[in-house]
Amino acid sequence: MLVYGTVAIYYVMFVNILYFTIMGLSFRSIGTISKRAKYSSYQTLSGSELVPSVSLLVPAYNEELTIIENVYCLMTLNYPTYEVIVINDGSSDDTLPVLIKEFKLEKMHNPEIRGTIETQNVRGIYHNPDYPHLFIIDKENGGKADSLNAGINFSHYPLISSIDADSLLEKDALIRMARMYMENPEETVAVGGDVRIANGCLIENGAVKRVSLPRKIWPMFQSIEYLKAFLGGRIGWSRMNGLIIVSGAFGLFRKDYVIAVGGYRGGYPGEDMNIIIKLHRYMLSHKIPYKVAFCPEAVCWTQAPDTYKIISNQRMRWGRGNLKNMIENRGMFLNPKYKVMGLITMPYNVLFETLNPYFRITGLLALVGYTLLDMTHWRILLTFMLLNFLSGYLLSVGAIILEEIAFRRYKKLSDLWKMLLFSALKFVGYHQLGVLWRVQGHIQYLRKNNSWGTMTRQSWKEESETASTA
Amino acid sequence: MFSHLFVAYVFIYVCLGLIGLGIMLLVQMKISHNREQQRREFYEQKHHDYFVYVQAHLGDDAELKLPPGKLKPLERGVIQDKFIEWIEQFKGDYRTRLIRLCREAGFVEADLKALGSFRHGRRLAAAYRLGGMRAEEAVPELLKMLQKGKYNSISIIIARSIAKSAKRPEDLLDMLRCLLSHGKPIHHLAADIMLETGLDASSILLKLLDDSDPALVKVGLVAMWGQAVPEVMPVLGRLVGAKEKDVRAEAVKLYLSSNPALKDETIVQLMTDRDWEVRAEAAKALGQLHAAGSIPLLVKALQDASWKVRHNSAESLAALGEAGFEALCQAAVTGAGIQREAALHRIGLVMEAEQKHGAIEQMVAYNKKRLIHDRYFGVKQPVKRMTGVAAVGGDYTA
């Protein structure tokens, strides 16, 4: 029992040293990121015909409350040539009727669908010549991946960007990503954007007008979590080209390669991680030089779940998706053919992400058992808990420093104290729940329970009314 | 166990120390950033009248006055940033006067000095501002900076500054050469940077198109989109026969977009080119040139492996009057697979679009097409695509 407990302590230290290494890489990149965000010229680029055209794909399932605001937001980006394709995935609410009414859309009689990826039946495509760059695909329900595939089939441009219907893009977000793509167009197969929590922000006309931290605790915890994952993690991973995920909320992809890997994998959550793993696998198998990049200055604001039920469903779904992806791609694990992906990213994900809850839970149980047998060794248990807390807290502090160096979205000193406080509070309950949800997700996977769970949206108007009264 | 615990304690103390340092650093950064922001706002307010004065007198002949009083470094920064913002917005005399004002205020001189700083961040900030102030004397040093550094986002920032400041075409070409020397196909980005120049674009384009380096030629071709430069047409005609696939495709696109008179053999040559982009552009141009003689070629191109070629051919056929439309209907009825699909799609669009037209001439044109359509598809029978046909030969060339 003691030996296992000791192993668990070393495991925690080792995992955290790895986390620190990744964060160290993020720190090495942050200077360049900060400079390019400050000095890159977007004014000329966003009006240039030389920027590649992009198809924005917006899968929507029961999004009647937020969809209009989101579409307006997407139609007013600072970007020269792009189209917005909303895919109504058989919503049971009024997503399609509200879109038809707002944009006076008519069903196209003879729409041209050039793609060949198999999807659920497309019932119709809606368009209004007054909004020449807006299209709505109405299809039978098939999930997010299926909707993205339907969007790819209809899209007209060489780059595609997947955007969640509950997210708002900053006006320069797409052009910032495109700049990154243009700097290395041959090798860049995907670019991920930074996702931030919009709860608590003041939103007007489909844009975030005033940035504030969320007032409710669930979104506040997620705000810290996202900061840590995106700034502390993804910047570092992208530096060594080992990024395993580009968030489904906002990512840019080369359409030809997405098609070459067969499009998005349907029928299971985690399609955003899956497509990136498939791209890595494809490029490495065909020995094509490539890069999966991360552009933290391209920001997308998303509505975070604010109730226990919704967040637990979301996290179980993520746990299921992660496990499925690891099992599906087990052939890449420690396979030198897949370079950084096979030798670092995949083992890291299996050992320190997928299996992490089990090591931590069993380690804690072993040490609790040992302490109960001999109460004089309470210090060992305390050490284990302190190790977990302090190393995790240090990572949060590191992520907030990265934010302060390069972005400074949260201006007030009180915001800083709040972030530091919640970074600590995260370890009293929320962190443990995260471990539990992941295990529950794995159980759901083994039981073949593939339900999406509850997901409700709040209108952006309500969200911003709450923010303005605060 | 206690030796293991000792390792754990060390880890904990290191974490504690780093957390303490991190929080101190964070507080210090937050306070200093906020203070700087407040001071910036204060200086913007303080110099509000001066900014109004400059804007109001930009069109006057008299010399503009320098900012009043002894300025602190941040205060100078605020004024300089405002001037640079206006330089980007204005053109012509206004821009020239603002550039002169920057020089007289000593901003250019200070940033030239900062280019020699040991700190990379300072050098880059100076490079960015010198570009904003169109400081030609900074170009040699900026070129050195560009040549020394690895290719990354920072190179693009420096390259833009060179493009804005350069007064000699050679400097611009050196910058482009340096940017392209890393072997990345960044022609579009390079062209966008090049177009920031204040020099005469047509002479630069001629130099680029005449260069022996295909990469520079491609930048020239890409940069020509949206620019009317008649002087380069002869060079373009030569590049249509270039060996490099990319160069040829771009040249053909540009050449055809100027609506040139094409010989029959040139049309056949272009429509059978091995590069789909060339075929697609040729197909598109034939409709615009009203080259009714090319209808058989366009009908044949409806079977092309590239979607873009099929699409453009169908579009051109539809644009070639009743004869073209009849050929399209014939292809839809007698053809199969991708040819039929492309024809049917275009017919559907034509019928839908023309039905909405109100003018008499357009009604006449529509009725003629309606008659042809009904002859092939029957009266009042809507044009229907065969389900599943789209699955044949779909591609994603666009």
Side-chain angles (χ1 to χ4, degrees):
Chain A
M1 210 184 300
L2 176 63
V3 173
Y4 190 73
T6 312
V7 169
I9 289 182
Y10 276 109
Y11 171 82
V12 171
M13 285 196 286
F14 183 64
V15 171
N16 282 299
I17 288 169
L18 272 179
Y19 285 149
F20 293 144
T21 311
I22 301 294
M23 184 163 270
L25 291 176
S26 298
F27 269 96
R28 281 199 68 180
S29 302
I30 202 71
T32 307
I33 292 169
S34 166
K35 284 170 202 156
R36 78 174 181 225
K38 195 172 172 186
Y39 300 127
S40 289
S41 165
Y42 297 105
Q43 243 175 357
T44 47
L45 212 54
S46 57
S48 168
E49 284 184 28
L50 299 164
V51 175
S53 313
V54 180
S55 300
L56 302 186
L57 310 181
V58 192
Y61 178 72
N62 289 352
E63 305 278 359
E64 62 177 13
L65 288 177
T66 55
I67 195 71
I68 299 297
E69 194 117 12
N70 288 57
V71 170
Y72 275 122
C73 164
L74 293 175
M75 285 181 8
T76 52
L77 298 180
N78 297 333
Y79 201 86
T81 315
Y82 69 100
E83 62 182 356
V84 180
I85 303 173
V86 180
I87 307 107
N88 176 43
D89 188 28
S91 298
S92 54
D93 70 352
D94 281 344
T95 302
L96 183 65
V98 295
L99 282 165
I100 290 176
K101 191 178 167 209
E102 181 68 25
F103 298 104
K104 298 180 181 63
L105 302 164
E106 279 181 28
K107 196 169 180 176
M108 291 171 79
H109 291 294
N110 214 356
E112 189 168 24
I113 300 175
R114 295 157 52 196
T116 56
I117 306 173
E118 275 195 26
T119 66
Q120 290 290 330
N121 181 38
V122 171
R123 297 189 282 226
I125 296 176
Y126 294 81
H127 184 60
N128 175 358
D130 292 342
Y131 300 97
H133 303 298
L134 174 68
F135 299 92
I136 315 294
I137 299 177
D138 180 35
K139 63 179 272 292
E140 278 160 23
N141 184 258
K144 190 175 168 186
D146 192 67
S147 306
L148 287 168
N149 287 338
I152 292 170
N153 283 346
F154 181 71
S155 64
H156 302 97
Y157 296 136
L159 294 181
I160 53 164
S161 174
S162 63
I163 292 160
D164 276 358
D166 61 341
S167 304
L168 297 173
L169 290 196
E170 288 193 351
K171 298 295 171 206
D172 279 344
L174 197 59
I175 193 74
R176 284 172 190 268
M177 266 193 180
R179 179 200 50 74
M180 187 171 245
Y181 169 79
M182 287 174 82
E183 280 174 18
N184 193 357
E186 200 171 51
E187 291 178 11
T188 308
V189 291
V191 186
D194 184 18
V195 180
R196 287 171 181 257
I197 303 296
N199 305 47
C201 296
L202 179 67
I203 290 140
E204 278 175 15
N205 303 321
V208 173
K209 289 282 175 222
R210 193 185 68 218
V211 175
S212 297
L213 285 167
R215 276 168 306 284
K216 293 184 181 171
I217 56 164
W218 294 115
M220 187 59 216
F221 283 135
Q222 291 169 80
S223 216
I224 303 290
E225 209 174 24
Y226 277 46
L227 217 57
K228 204 164 138 183
F230 281 86
L231 302 188
R234 293 193 191 176
I235 296 176
W237 281 113
S238 73
R239 194 183 163 96
M240 58 167 135
N241 203 19
L243 204 57
I244 198 172
I245 185 169
V246 156
S247 170
F250 183 33
L252 184 77
F253 300 84
R254 257 180 73 163
K255 188 164 83 176
D256 50 356
Y257 284 124
V258 172
I259 303 224
V261 300
Y264 285 84
R265 187 260 340 257
Y268 228 85
E271 73 294 324
D272 45 3
M273 180 186 275
N274 186 266
I275 190 79
I276 295 298
I277 298 177
K278 284 203 293 188
L279 284 170
H280 277 291
R281 189 193 269 272
Y282 180 87
M283 303 306 282
L284 288 163
S285 301
H286 290 80
K287 296 189 170 56
I288 308 170
Y290 76 104
K291 175 101 186 129
V292 176
F294 178 59
C295 183
E297 63 266 40
V299 176
C300 159
W301 295 89
T302 193
Q303 234 183 54
D306 57 1
T307 64
Y308 176 86
K309 196 174 177 188
I310 300 173
I311 188 175
S312 60
N313 275 324
Q314 184 197 50
R315 296 309 158 99
M316 284 183 232
R317 217 165 49 230
W318 287 4
R320 242 162 45 218
N322 180 282
L323 185 61
K324 167 88 173 167
N325 283 324
M326 290 305 115
I327 291 173
E328 228 176 45
N329 295 286
R330 58 191 177 280
M332 291 174 84
F333 186 81
L334 289 176
N335 187 340
K337 182 180 158 191
Y338 296 107
K339 296 183 176 171
V340 174
M341 210 41 204
L343 297 176
I344 302 178
T345 308
M346 291 298 281
Y348 173 92
N349 260 275
V350 171
L351 294 175
F352 308 126
E353 294 289 338
T354 314
L355 300 178
N356 194 12
Y358 304 104
F359 282 115
R360 284 182 191 258
I361 290 171
T362 52
L364 180 69
L365 288 178
L367 286 170
V368 168
Y370 177 66
T371 312
L372 286 176
L373 287 176
D374 181 355
M375 292 300 280
T376 58
H377 288 113
W378 58 271
R379 277 200 298 178
I380 299 170
L381 182 64
L382 190 67
T383 307
F384 181 76
M385 291 164 88
L386 258 180
L387 263 180
N388 265 303
F389 169 69
L390 290 175
S391 50
Y393 191 65
L394 180 57
L395 287 167
S396 296
V397 171
I400 302 171
I401 294 177
L402 288 169
E403 160 73 8
E404 189 60 33
I405 292 173
F407 308 106
R408 298 195 276 282
R409 302 275 171 168
Y410 307 102
K411 308 274 184 209
K412 292 179 280 185
L413 190 60
S414 57
D415 287 340
L416 174 63
W417 292 124
K418 192 173 173 182
M419 282 196 281
L420 288 170
L421 175 69
F422 273 82
S423 298
L425 288 179
K426 205 159 72 74
F427 292 93
V428 192
Y430 182 77
H431 187 70
Q432 290 74 14
L433 280 172
V435 171
L436 179 73
W437 291 330
R438 197 175 294 181
V439 174
Q440 284 179 317
H442 292 177
I443 294 169
Q444 284 181 344
Y445 175 82
L446 295 172
R447 285 182 171 176
K448 298 190 177 9
N449 174 355
N450 196 21
S451 65
W452 190 262
T454 321
M455 193 70 207
T456 54
R457 294 265 181 258
Q458 190 184 0
S459 153
W460 287 114
K461 284 190 185 102
E462 284 172 42
E463 184 69 49
S464 86
E465 270 163 24
T466 334
S468 58
T469 51
Chain B
M1 183 67 201
F2 275 94
S3 61
H4 296 309
L5 264 187
F6 178 74
V7 177
Y9 289 157
V10 170
F11 195 87
I12 285 173
Y13 283 124
V14 171
C15 284
L16 270 173
L18 288 174
I19 288 170
L21 277 176
I23 292 178
M24 279 194 292
L25 180 70
L26 267 173
V27 173
Q28 187 271 328
M29 280 198 297
K30 181 61 85 188
I31 291 173
S32 98
H33 286 147
N34 283 359
R35 192 176 293 159
E36 186 185 319
Q37 187 56 36
Q38 280 167 0
R39 279 165 59 205
R40 274 189 165 270
E41 282 163 16
F42 169 75
Y43 290 137
E44 271 175 24
Q45 198 54 44
K46 182 182 165 189
H47 292 286
H48 179 259
D49 290 349
Y50 176 68
F51 291 144
V52 172
Y53 154 78
V54 173
Q55 274 187 310
H57 293 85
L58 267 177
D60 296 355
D61 290 334
E63 285 296 303
L64 290 167
K65 286 180 192 162
L66 294 175
K70 193 169 184 296
L71 303 177
K72 291 186 176 152
L74 186 63
E75 210 169 353
R76 286 168 65 86
V78 169
I79 295 170
Q80 189 179 7
D81 287 349
K82 184 61 86 183
F83 286 172
I84 291 174
E85 185 190 319
W86 287 342
I87 290 170
E88 296 296 339
Q89 286 169 3
F90 299 139
K91 290 219 182 327
D93 281 351
Y94 285 13
R95 178 183 274 188
T96 316
R97 284 170 69 85
L98 282 164
I99 292 170
R100 199 160 59 229
L101 196 57
C102 284
R103 248 171 233 290
E104 286 162 5
F107 296 150
V108 172
E109 199 185 344
D111 277 332
L112 281 171
K113 212 181 277 178
L115 271 187
S117 167
F118 285 113
R119 285 171 50 205
H120 180 257
R122 228 176 140 219
R123 288 203 303 274
L124 185 71
Y128 171 75
R129 287 194 298 262
L130 285 163
M133 296 184 292
R134 283 26 180 199
E136 60 173 305
E137 56 273 56
V139 171
E141 197 54 41
L142 291 175
L143 271 170
K144 272 189 213 159
M145 257 177 103
L146 186 66
Q147 282 153 358
K148 270 189 210 162
K150 276 196 300 184
Y151 172 75
N152 56 22
S153 315
I154 304 301
S155 321
I156 305 298
I157 296 166
I158 301 169
R160 274 195 198 277
S161 283
I162 296 172
K164 285 175 181 175
S165 308
K167 292 285 179 289
R168 298 183 327 130
E170 292 72 27
D171 289 335
L172 209 55
L173 294 181
D174 284 348
M175 177 273 287
L176 288 173
R177 265 193 204 99
C178 180
L179 215 51
L180 295 162
S181 65
H182 304 277
K184 308 266 179 212
I186 50 162
H187 308 102
H188 285 75
L189 186 59
D192 185 71
I193 294 170
M194 196 273 284
L195 291 172
E196 298 251 20
T197 184
L199 298 170
D200 172 37
S202 58
S203 69
I204 305 279
L205 286 173
L206 262 177
K207 278 184 197 298
L208 285 172
L209 296 182
D210 261 339
D211 203 279
S212 57
D213 182 355
L216 281 189
V217 176
K218 200 165 175 210
V219 171
L221 289 168
V222 168
M224 272 186 64
W225 279 108
Q227 312 251 344
V229 195
E231 303 94 287
V232 299
M233 286 314 285
V235 188
L236 219 48
R238 175 171 59 75
L239 290 171
V240 164
K243 278 182 196 159
E244 294 83 9
K245 181 189 154 193
D246 290 358
V247 171
R248 196 172 70 251
E250 290 293 338
V252 167
K253 266 194 253 178
L254 279 169
Y255 186 68
L256 292 176
S257 68
S258 64
N259 288 343
L262 292 174
K263 291 181 197 162
D264 285 351
E265 62 262 35
T266 314
I267 294 176
V268 174
Q269 196 187 341
L270 291 173
M271 288 295 286
T272 51
D273 195 282
R274 60 185 181 279
D275 183 5
W276 70 264
E277 280 185 74
V278 173
R279 298 197 302 276
E281 286 308 316
K284 189 176 169 185
L286 291 176
Q288 288 161 358
L289 294 170
H290 304 291
S294 55
I295 287 176
L297 270 175
L298 288 169
V299 171
K300 199 177 165 202
L302 290 175
Q303 298 177 47
D304 198 286
S306 159
W307 170 85
K308 191 79 180 165
V309 180
R310 298 197 299 274
H311 174 89
N312 287 357
S313 302
E315 197 174 34
S316 285
L317 280 169
L320 290 175
E322 291 153 49
F325 189 71
E326 182 150 11
L328 207 54
C329 291
Q330 218 162 19
V333 171
T334 57
I338 51 175
Q339 184 190 27
R340 181 181 156 83
E341 170 72 8
L344 277 177
H345 172 72
R346 181 52 51 186
I347 292 165
L349 287 179
V350 170
M351 299 314 289
E352 201 177 319
E354 299 215 0
Q355 209 163 11
K356 289 175 186 164
H357 289 148
I360 294 289
E361 309 85 69
Q362 284 161 336
M363 283 293 286
V364 172
Y366 167 71
N367 285 333
K368 281 181 182 170
K369 282 184 181 162
R370 177 92 245 171
L371 282 171
I372 296 169
H373 172 265
D374 292 349
R375 197 156 15 103
Y376 283 91
F377 299 100
V379 183
K380 284 185 181 173
Q381 195 183 333
V383 179
K384 273 192 184 158
R385 295 163 81 203
M386 285 168 70
T387 325
V389 173
V392 183
D395 63 48
Y396 294 89
T397 39

